[in-house]
């Protein structure tokens, strides 16, 4: 009886041990399932974080690319504005130089015209002086000829008068 009891006790202990082992296996399975779930959750969290990080990197790259494109467009715009300003300044300088050149040409034209007028006036004055000299000589020559004719006429008239007086005195009638 004691052997049976011991057997029964051993059987009951074996059953209890089996039940405890089952409980432990179940608890271990639960813990493993929980660990797997935790691992899966952690993996999902890590994947979500990696995905979020990847999306943020892509968004950051896109933002940087957009910023570079905007900066390039702005730089081109500023470059074009600067070129337009340089072009406008150059055109203004060229216009100013053209006006100065035209003014200089006009001054030179006026100076040349003044020189021409002065040269004409001098030539006219020289021609008049030469003509005046010629006219004075001609007048002196005419005056000398007129004086000579007048003297000849006076001499002739006085000779006729003296002949007439002589004839009158010689032949009184």
């Amino acid at each position: 009886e004691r052997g049976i009891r011991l057997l029964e006790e051993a059987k009951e202990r074996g059953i209890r041990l089996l039940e405890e082992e089952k409980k432990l296996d179940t608890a271990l399975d639960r813990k493993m399932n929980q660990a797997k779930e935790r691992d899966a959750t952690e993996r999902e969290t890590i994947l979500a974080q990696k995905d979020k990080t990847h999306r943020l990197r892509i968004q950051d790259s896109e933002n940087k690319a957009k910023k570079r494109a905007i900066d390039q467009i702005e730089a081109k715009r500023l470059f074009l504005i600067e070129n337009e300003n340089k072009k406008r300044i150059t055109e203004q300088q060229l216009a100013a130089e053209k006006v100065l050149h035209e003014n200089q040409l006009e001054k030179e034209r006026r100076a040349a015209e003044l020189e021409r007028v002065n040269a004409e006036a001098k030539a006219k004055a020289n021609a008049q002086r030469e003509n005046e000299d010629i006219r004075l000589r001609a007048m002196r020559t005419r005056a000398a000829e007129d004086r000579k004719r007048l003297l000849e006429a006076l001499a002739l008239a006085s000779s006729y008068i003296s002949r007439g007086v002589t004839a009158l005195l010689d032949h009184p009638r």
Side-chain angles (χ1 to χ4, degrees):
E1 233 182 262
R2 195 168 163 149
I4 297 185
R5 218 180 344 152
L6 281 175
L7 254 173
E8 282 181 22
E9 278 180 21
K11 197 179 185 186
E12 279 180 27
R13 237 187 292 152
I15 292 175
R16 267 187 281 157
L17 279 176
L18 281 174
E19 286 176 3
E20 276 185 39
E21 190 178 325
K22 246 187 195 185
K23 282 182 188 176
L24 284 174
D25 280 345
T26 306
L28 182 63
D29 284 343
R30 234 182 298 136
K31 292 248 185 211
M32 283 179 72
N33 283 337
Q34 286 174 350
K36 284 180 184 178
E37 287 176 12
R38 252 193 331 264
D39 285 348
T41 306
E42 283 179 17
R43 255 187 260 118
E44 287 176 12
T45 305
I46 289 171
L47 286 174
Q49 285 177 341
K50 283 183 179 179
D51 187 50
K52 182 179 178 182
T53 304
H54 184 69
R55 273 187 267 120
L56 287 174
R57 282 185 187 152
I58 290 172
Q59 185 178 5
D60 188 45
S61 293
E62 288 174 355
N63 287 343
K64 286 179 181 177
K66 284 179 186 176
K67 186 177 182 324
R68 273 193 306 272
I70 290 170
D71 289 346
Q72 287 175 349
I73 290 170
E74 182 64 17
K76 284 180 183 177
R77 186 182 70 80
L78 292 174
F79 178 75
L80 290 174
I81 289 172
E82 184 178 338
N83 280 348
E84 285 296 321
N85 287 338
K86 285 179 182 178
K87 181 181 175 184
R88 184 179 39 78
I89 289 169
T90 303
E91 287 173 351
Q92 289 173 348
Q93 288 173 342
L94 288 174
E97 287 176 12
K98 182 179 178 182
V99 167
L100 287 174
H101 183 69
E102 287 174 355
N103 287 343
Q104 183 66 29
L105 285 175
E106 186 59 32
K107 283 180 185 178
E108 289 174 6
R109 276 190 215 117
R110 278 190 232 140
E113 183 66 21
L114 188 61
E115 284 180 33
R116 186 187 62 76
V117 168
N118 284 338
E120 284 180 4
K122 283 181 183 177
K124 205 176 216 181
N126 285 338
Q128 280 182 334
R129 256 186 264 122
E130 287 176 10
N131 286 340
E132 191 175 316
D133 288 345
I134 292 170
R135 272 187 266 131
L136 284 174
R137 271 190 252 135
M139 284 173 66
R140 284 185 191 139
T141 305
R142 262 187 260 129
E145 288 174 4
D146 288 345
R147 204 174 319 123
K148 187 178 172 186
R149 261 186 269 135
L150 182 64
L151 288 174
E152 286 175 358
L154 285 173
L156 188 60
S158 65
S159 98
Y160 283 128
I161 291 175
S162 82
R163 274 193 228 149
V165 169
T166 313
L168 198 55
L169 288 175
D170 285 342
H171 304 295
R173 219 205 291 182

